[in-house]
Amino acid sequence: MPFKIIASQCTSCSACEPLCPNVAISEKAGSFVIEPAKCTECIGYFDEPQCVAACPVDNTCVVDTSLARYQAPA
Ligand code: SF4
Ligand code: SF4
């Protein structure tokens, strides 16, 4: 499942943006957002989601359970 950013908790520090291997993170209306279609949960690039690892605010980059899990190419 792709990750999402809880806008109300995001301080717009921008730490996550350059770390995403899929360039899925961008600034929008003063907060940072993840484009779900681009987020692969960092599968194939890193062992852990880079946005989660970089974010200084706990539980701000979280799994969006309402969306389907990313399927890595076979
Ligand atoms: S989990 Fe990885 S691919 Fe998804 S938004 Fe975060 S850094 Fe980008
Ligand atoms: S690292 Fe966290 S607080 Fe900083 S811009 Fe990204 S989601 Fe927002």
Side-chain angles (χ1 to χ4, degrees):
M1 285 158 277
F3 281 75
K4 64 179 177 181
I5 291 169
I6 307 297
S8 62
Q9 295 179 192
C10 174
T11 62
S12 299
C13 73
S14 79
C16 56
E17 185 187 14
L19 300 178
C20 179
N22 297 312
V23 197
I25 305 172
S26 61
E27 191 173 7
K28 201 173 187 180
S31 177
F32 280 71
V33 294
I34 293 171
E35 196 173 321
K38 290 185 178 177
C39 175
T40 61
E41 303 157 40
C42 283
I43 289 170
Y45 294 99
F46 300 100
D47 290 338
E48 61 179 347
Q50 296 298 288
C51 52
V52 179
C55 186
V57 189
D58 285 348
N59 302 314
T60 296
C61 297
V62 297
V63 165
D64 188 344
T65 53
S66 70
L67 295 170
R69 185 166 185 84
Y70 170 73
Q71 298 293 320

